[in-house]
Amino acid sequence: MFGQDQLPSDERPQRLTTFTAKHRFPDCLSSIWGAAQSSACEKPVPIMELLWEMPAALNATFSKTITSKVFLTLNTSGWAPGNAIWGADQPQAPVPPHRGKTLVIFHHGHGESKGCPTYGDTEGTTDWLNEMGLDVATMMMPFVDCNIIKDQPPSRHGWFQNFEDEGLPWVRFFVEPVIKTINFAKNQLGYEHIIMAGLSGGGWTTTVAAAVDPRIELSMPIAGSIPCDFRHTSWDFEQYCGDRWANIGNYTALYVLAALEENRTSYLAFSYFMKRILAVSMAVGAIKESRTMSRCHESGAQVLREKLNICEAALSDFEVQTIHSEIDSDQSGVVDWQEFLQFVARGPKRPEDEAKLFALRTKRVHRNMRLAFNKFQTDQSAVQKLFEKIDKGCDRQRLEVVGNLVEGAADPDESLEHFYNRTKEGGGNGAKIMKGTPGINSLEQRPKELKAFYKTMDTNGDGGQVAVIISRIQWPGPRDHETRAACWSRVLRKVERCLEDAKAADLCEEPAVAQRKFQEAARMLSVVPNGQLRAVEAWADCGRAGLEASEPFDALVACELGLQLVPEHWRCGMTSALALESLGLLNIAEERLQAAARVARTDRDTMAAALEGLRRVRARLAQVEKGDAQVLVEEIQRMGSLLGDEEAGYWISCVGECSRTAEGQAELVQKGFLQHNHKNLAKPAEVARRASVVALRYRINKKLQRYLSSAGLLMGVADKCVLPKAVSHPMADGLMNHDAWQTLRQKRIAVVDSAVPLEVVAKVQMELQALRSGGVMQNDTNDVCNPLQEAKYLPFAAGTAAQQFREKCPTTMQVMQQLAGLATILEDELGLRLAVPQSAMAACYPPRASYKMHLDSYFLHGCKDDIPRKVTVLLYCNHGWEPRQGGELCAWEPFDQGRGVSQRIEPLAGRLVVFMSEEIWHEVLESHGDRYALTVWIHDRERAPLAQL
Ligand SMILES: O=C(O)CCC(=O)C(=O)O
Ligand SMILES: [Fe+2]
């Protein structure tokens, strides 16, 4: 695979231009600061621009021409001999630059020159190299900085996931421009030596390029990668250690290849990653001496820093402690030889990581299957065949129900009768399927029997909802000629078997199996006549086993499902509190334990258990509040492992970086992760610890909401979606004009005034005010970033719940549907594949409420299971809003986390704001009035669960 004969041989770029750019030399600017006109530092620089074009096609949808620009600049020794280019000895008339023998390729990775004004030279590195007498080819990765293209994929490098999924090589799009540039430099321009250096993503590219192309004699990757064994947290798609190609070489092999031949050298500059390596070396050192290493006290870290002659910023106590605890797998506080060897040997692949990877793969397979199913459904006879298969000899009635459900948009709370009538009237695919389904018409003509059918489905006597039917589909119903009673006893036999298996697994200490079996039993028991009490018990056991299997999210969901059946169930309540405790959500755990203690008042033992839990959680809360370093580190680890390396790594490294400077600490306060009085603590590590706990807890809470929502316990977070065409709206077209679409494409955010007529907005506002005074909107006390906001997710698509709201707030419903109708147009205008959840958010920011700086989805920042929000659509409904009432929305430029300038958008009535949920950091400033808004989030179809089979 390696070696020049495998590399592309192109040596002529698709376009070659030369031009002279007025270039402002950064070095110069600083030396004349305040003294002269900055234009005095601008000099014409001759530049040769190469353009490489690579077609990257997967199929009709994923096809782009990837362009890579390379800027060749010659050494500027003519301008200034030596290093001090603006010194007194600068020649009056410069000697024209001449080409040397060595070309340095400097790769800027993700580049940050903001739109390429300085031929990609982000921070003057190219200048500096030129001044040193070197010729430089400056380049960067596809889709960034100078390589941004017209129909840029919004996910940037995440776009290559599609290639990864299909097993097609995509690393070439990053590396081949480098190789071709070397071809050009050597064969066309006659350079004799090639050096390559790069920063960050450029460091990564340097590592990969130097491994495959032996013509690179000297390579210097800076902060680009780290061996995967060190649990590297990547910042962008191409660098994931999970990618197939990275598994081949695990980076380490690539480093070796870069210096394999005698005449080749590679300097690796780890910078940021250095810390982890140092920490491990420290462990080795300590182990060599004493064979064990006790938890690193701060003084220990200090000794280490002194020995290595590095400062605290390079290796913080926090870092040392974190790595120590990572190695200390039994958490005894002491690392022994065994643990250390294990750590080094196992790299990132612990059994639980393997399991997670496996789950991810399974999810992917499921997603593909779902997509396949969607295609399948359009063919009526195929659907019928499918039913036959699912039905497997069960009664006709079930078959028809499946038919109804295929039509989608099933609201679990909708009454069966309403659901049946709606699908019948609904037209489209569902109606066709029903008409073609044998037996359905005959039932329709016999209303009495239809009613009887509803009744048989209403097993728990609460009126019969779609949810019951859905759960019934999950177990085998009565077979042909089987009586209903016989069917139930068959199900009960299955339940008993499940429970036996579960208990056996309990005895064998296989909690994951027990959890699954208890869950299966609980599901069946929930629909068996009079099964509720046993169902709750099974849910409680499922929760307990889930906790033992270290699956607190699942455990919590199980207990909540139990509590839905019997709200006062003590064991479910208690286990749910324990699950919250192990999630690190101590505040809610405390509330739950208080409630459990109240319920348990009559029973001494249970009361004692609740009080014991309460004492433990309160003590923990107090330690966290006090800032106890060890406790905070433990909480960070606990929540970090629940979030996964990638997401946790993102938040911990962001917070860690911010804690080091006053400016960064202010940003943490702005994001809601740091209390004012914790700024300027003696050590940045203390700030980092406190803020990391808050940030991780915030993300855990969000993750929990996704779990609850997927289990149908919470509306509005991970709702099932429908395809955009199912919610297209004739008036959506009028919301945005040509210019607005253009702005959205380019700036990733667009603001449209009077998108909805004022009289309509006034009605919406009145309806929302009425909802709010009816106590329908609620505040999430755990959302530290969004304090005091009150919100309600309104189902706007179908079902009885939507019916209810339609009666209460008809105009709001219409407007929400109109906003959701933007999805089809968004698909066309931005080339996206979208899906629309079936609810939207109505929110009120009362006085003092705000929303700290955030993204609406962190998918591109490592949180791969975040809500798949792609586009945020907001409509403000505040008649006569005045500037003194505050509440402006501040939005930064794409991917700018609040460092540059932001636009301030007042929440004026009828104003529509549309932006890319994963790209635009935004904040709502403190409101001084009751500020109303409607928000529809449009999801990425690839990752959204569709409301169909
Ligand atoms: O109401 C607004 O202006 C924005 C609210 C927001 O950012 C959100 O709910 O995610
Ligand atoms: Fe937001």
Side-chain angles (χ1 to χ4, degrees):
M1 126 166 221
F2 299 109
Q4 224 176 324
D5 46 342
Q6 305 284 332
L7 299 176
S9 57
D10 315 16
E11 56 182 51
R12 284 180 191 277
Q14 273 66 32
R15 202 180 68 200
L16 185 65
T17 31
T18 47
F19 58 94
T20 305
K22 261 260 176 87
H23 184 54
R24 192 177 286 185
F25 285 83
D27 278 9
C28 165
L29 272 184
S30 58
S31 66
I32 59 149
W33 192 251
Q37 292 283 326
S38 60
S39 61
C41 287
E42 288 175 351
K43 298 280 169 200
V45 176
I47 294 170
M48 186 190 280
E49 182 187 315
L50 330 182
L51 179 85
W52 300 107
E53 283 181 353
M54 289 182 77
L58 187 60
N59 54 37
T61 325
F62 291 99
S63 132
K64 299 225 174 301
T65 298
I66 290 178
T67 53
S68 286
K69 286 187 185 160
V70 183
F71 304 93
L72 228 131
T73 47
L74 300 183
N75 68 77
T76 46
S77 51
W79 284 111
N83 223 347
I85 62 166
W86 302 104
D89 51 351
Q90 187 191 336
Q92 282 298 312
V95 184
H98 55 278
R99 190 176 294 154
K101 288 186 178 172
T102 303
L103 179 70
V104 179
I105 299 181
F106 192 85
H107 201 296
H108 270 290
H110 293 79
E112 284 194 355
S113 75
K114 298 241 159 76
C116 199
T118 53
Y119 53 86
D121 186 16
T122 308
E123 72 306 78
T125 310
T126 302
D127 273 353
W128 183 74
L129 288 165
N130 286 157
E131 287 163 25
M132 305 268 284
L134 292 158
D135 298 354
V136 180
T138 306
M139 57 194 302
M140 61 236 38
M141 288 174 151
F143 298 146
V144 294
D145 213 29
C146 302
N147 293 332
I148 289 177
I149 53 175
K150 198 160 79 316
D151 55 346
Q152 178 85 345
S155 58
R156 300 203 201 190
H157 298 151
W159 186 76
F160 292 107
Q161 177 68 48
N162 303 294
F163 290 70
E164 175 85 8
D165 287 347
E166 296 292 321
L168 291 177
W170 49 265
V171 177
R172 48 188 290 253
F173 300 117
F174 291 82
V175 186
E176 287 190 11
V178 179
I179 310 298
K180 292 176 185 173
T181 302
I182 299 178
N183 296 347
F184 176 75
K186 285 212 135 182
N187 307 347
Q188 299 286 322
L189 301 181
Y191 280 101
E192 290 172 21
H193 305 288
I194 304 288
I195 296 176
M196 181 165 179
L199 178 70
S200 184
W204 174 86
T205 314
T206 304
T207 290
V208 184
V212 297
D213 193 336
R215 291 174 298 176
I216 301 175
E217 291 169 42
L218 170 64
S219 55
M220 286 183 280
I222 306 159
S225 66
I226 184 173
C228 295
D229 293 349
F230 289 97
R231 317 246 189 116
H232 164 209
T233 305
S234 304
W235 287 297
D236 199 8
F237 169 78
E238 68 278 354
Q239 296 155 28
Y240 295 162
C241 275
D243 287 338
R244 247 167 317 125
W245 78 272
N247 277 316
I248 300 171
N250 184 2
Y251 290 122
T252 322
L254 304 187
Y255 303 146
V256 174
L257 284 168
L260 196 62
E261 293 81 1
E262 216 172 340
N263 62 341
R264 300 178 70 207
T265 312
S266 184
Y267 289 107
L268 281 165
F270 284 108
S271 71
Y272 177 83
F273 302 123
M274 193 72 177
K275 292 177 241 168
R276 281 182 152 234
I277 291 177
L278 285 175
V280 176
S281 350
M282 163 200 73
V284 180
I287 285 166
K288 261 194 194 153
E289 278 165 27
S290 63
R291 298 212 133 221
T292 60
M293 177 177 75
S294 55
R295 193 179 299 286
C296 293
H297 299 298
E298 295 189 355
S299 57
Q302 187 51 35
V303 171
L304 185 79
R305 279 193 289 267
E306 275 161 21
K307 272 196 182 155
L308 295 167
N309 194 18
I310 48 176
C311 61
E312 193 185 332
L315 179 67
S316 67
D317 301 342
F318 173 63
E319 202 85 29
V320 175
Q321 283 176 9
T322 308
I323 196 86
H324 181 276
S325 311
E326 232 167 81
I327 308 173
D328 180 17
S329 56
D330 63 2
Q331 302 295 320
S332 62
V334 174
V335 167
D336 59 27
W337 190 223
Q338 195 75 19
E339 280 171 326
F340 180 71
L341 283 184
Q342 259 173 12
F343 176 81
V344 176
R346 106 191 141 212
K349 298 255 167 79
R350 295 170 299 167
E352 50 271 40
D353 293 332
E354 294 276 20
K356 267 189 212 148
L357 271 178
F358 180 73
L360 206 76
R361 273 199 296 274
T362 318
K363 229 160 103 186
R364 233 182 240 168
V365 172
H366 287 184
R367 189 191 66 190
N368 291 342
M369 274 169 49
R370 206 175 50 227
L371 289 176
F373 260 95
N374 283 345
K375 286 188 197 124
F376 199 42
Q377 277 169 19
T378 53
D379 174 348
Q380 195 179 325
S381 71
V383 170
Q384 280 190 20
K385 271 201 207 117
L386 176 68
F387 290 171
E388 310 277 296
K389 257 201 206 144
I390 298 172
D391 200 44
K392 279 210 184 102
C394 295
D395 64 345
R396 276 263 87 85
Q397 291 162 337
R398 269 191 72 237
L399 197 143
E400 285 137 16
V401 172
V402 178
N404 287 353
L405 289 170
V406 168
E407 202 246 356
D411 168 3
D413 287 333
E414 182 169 17
S415 90
L416 206 47
E417 189 165 353
H418 181 269
F419 177 60
Y420 183 86
N421 288 331
R422 184 171 60 74
T423 43
K424 195 177 61 163
E425 288 155 11
N429 215 15
K432 264 193 253 148
I433 291 167
M434 286 175 58
K435 290 250 155 59
T437 309
I440 196 86
N441 289 332
S442 57
L443 263 186
E444 222 177 287
Q445 281 148 18
R446 286 174 281 148
K448 238 167 97 187
E449 270 140 67
L450 194 59
K451 287 250 165 356
F453 162 65
Y454 296 146
K455 200 143 185 251
T456 55
M457 289 293 172
D458 178 19
T459 48
N460 58 2
D462 68 347
Q465 294 116 357
V466 178
V468 179
I469 310 292
I470 297 174
S471 55
R472 272 206 57 186
I473 291 170
Q474 292 161 347
W475 56 268
R479 295 189 177 131
D480 279 346
H481 314 301
E482 192 179 35
T483 63
R484 204 145 276 283
C487 174
W488 289 130
S489 60
R490 181 158 55 83
V491 173
L492 279 172
R493 278 200 300 280
K494 202 168 168 210
V495 168
E496 301 310 339
R497 272 202 305 279
C498 249
L499 288 173
E500 269 166 34
D501 290 350
K503 285 175 194 147
D506 252 347
L507 278 179
C508 301
E509 297 189 5
E510 289 174 350
V513 179
Q515 180 193 9
R516 205 163 21 95
K517 289 288 169 186
F518 278 124
Q519 183 190 52
E520 210 180 310
R523 284 223 174 106
M524 286 189 274
L525 283 166
S526 309
V527 291
V528 168
N530 307 322
Q532 265 78 349
L533 280 179
R534 290 186 71 200
V536 183
E537 291 297 326
W539 281 127
D541 278 320
C542 175
R544 174 189 49 75
L547 270 187
E548 285 164 19
S550 308
E551 297 288 356
F553 287 109
D554 289 329
L556 191 79
V557 166
C559 296
E560 294 299 308
L561 287 168
L563 288 170
Q564 251 200 347
L565 295 174
V566 182
E568 304 262 280
H569 192 267
W570 186 81
R571 222 153 53 86
C572 276
M574 185 73 187
T575 313
S576 141
L578 294 180
L580 287 164
E581 185 184 354
S582 50
L583 288 174
L585 299 174
L586 300 173
N587 278 328
I588 338 179
E590 186 191 11
E591 280 168 28
R592 281 301 168 86
L593 285 165
Q594 273 171 334
R598 268 198 302 276
V599 176
R601 216 167 269 159
T602 46
D603 182 315
R604 216 197 282 149
D605 287 348
T606 50
M607 174 87 171
L611 290 178
E612 154 76 31
L614 204 53
R615 255 194 304 277
R616 189 180 57 242
V617 168
R618 284 188 176 149
R620 189 80 175 170
L621 268 168
Q623 285 168 319
V624 170
E625 185 52 36
K626 210 173 102 219
D628 182 302
Q630 186 173 329
V631 171
L632 293 182
V633 171
E634 277 167 18
E635 288 301 311
I636 290 167
Q637 280 164 358
R638 170 212 300 274
M639 293 188 281
S641 71
L642 289 167
L643 284 174
D645 285 350
E646 208 181 308
E647 182 177 1
Y650 168 74
W651 291 97
I652 292 174
S653 56
C654 276
V655 166
E657 206 168 297
C658 283
S659 332
R660 298 209 178 99
T661 59
E663 188 199 8
Q665 294 193 2
E667 191 179 316
L668 288 174
V669 174
Q670 194 188 4
K671 282 196 171 120
F673 297 152
L674 190 69
Q675 288 175 21
H676 256 295
N677 55 343
H678 291 152
K679 275 201 308 190
N680 309 322
L681 289 174
K683 292 188 186 130
E686 287 177 43
V687 176
R689 277 193 291 266
R690 282 190 183 267
S692 295
V693 167
V694 181
L696 295 186
R697 196 192 295 136
Y698 169 68
R699 292 307 300 172
I700 289 272
N701 193 42
K702 292 276 174 206
K703 183 162 178 161
L704 179 60
Q705 289 187 359
R706 293 198 296 280
Y707 267 76
L708 294 175
S709 175
S710 309
L713 288 159
L714 181 76
M715 193 177 42
V717 180
D719 292 331
K720 297 267 193 298
C721 292
V722 293
L723 297 181
K725 64 175 187 295
V727 287
S728 62
H729 193 283
M731 278 155 70
D733 217 7
L735 288 170
M736 287 172 73
N737 61 17
H738 176 267
D739 286 353
W741 285 112
Q742 181 74 1
T743 311
L744 181 61
R745 263 191 303 271
Q746 282 171 356
K747 308 262 181 222
R748 321 303 284 162
I749 175 164
V751 181
V752 184
D753 282 334
S754 312
V756 175
L758 283 185
E759 58 282 10
V760 177
V761 179
K763 274 194 199 148
V764 173
Q765 186 175 4
M766 265 154 47
E767 289 175 0
L768 296 184
Q769 278 162 341
L771 271 189
R772 179 160 178 253
S773 43
V776 175
M777 292 194 183
Q778 276 176 1
N779 169 250
D780 175 0
T781 46
N782 282 298
D783 198 337
V784 285
C785 298
N786 195 6
L788 300 181
Q789 181 243 39
E790 294 170 29
K792 172 77 192 165
Y793 280 88
L794 304 179
F796 62 80
T800 28
Q803 190 82 4
Q804 259 176 20
F805 281 110
R806 195 165 295 119
E807 278 154 24
K808 274 198 208 148
C809 28
T811 316
T812 306
M813 280 292 171
Q814 278 165 17
V815 171
M816 280 180 167
Q817 281 165 352
Q818 188 185 358
L819 297 179
L822 276 175
T824 38
I825 317 172
L826 273 163
E827 285 201 325
D828 290 344
E829 295 279 354
L830 278 90
L832 299 170
R833 277 162 59 80
L834 301 170
V836 188
Q838 299 179 74
S839 72
M841 186 178 79
C844 173
Y845 286 67
R848 299 204 346 272
S850 63
Y851 199 160
K852 314 282 186 193
M853 194 209 302
H854 67 284
L855 286 174
D856 284 354
S857 169
Y858 290 88
F859 179 70
L860 298 180
H861 290 75
C863 181
K864 298 297 174 214
D865 60 351
D866 207 349
I867 312 177
R869 290 171 176 163
K870 201 80 197 163
V871 186
T872 305
V873 178
L874 268 163
L875 180 76
Y876 295 117
C877 311
N878 305 298
H879 212 68
W881 190 264
E882 294 192 14
R884 65 178 166 77
Q885 290 174 286
E888 293 99 334
L889 172 72
C890 292
W892 280 265
E893 287 186 4
F895 300 104
D896 176 3
Q897 281 198 50
R899 292 185 196 256
V901 283
S902 64
Q903 55 174 320
R904 280 193 175 204
I905 304 160
E906 284 178 65
L908 304 182
R911 179 172 268 183
L912 176 79
V913 182
V914 182
F915 59 85
M916 306 309 292
S917 316
E918 299 158 315
E919 299 172 35
I920 301 289
W921 287 88
H922 57 284
E923 168 182 15
V924 178
L925 299 182
E926 194 173 313
S927 166
H928 306 301
D930 288 339
R931 169 195 190 273
Y932 288 92
L934 292 181
T935 314
V936 178
W937 279 286
I938 301 182
H939 293 186
D940 179 0
R941 192 187 309 168
E942 296 303 315
R943 292 177 285 133
L946 291 181
Q948 286 171 343
L949 251 191

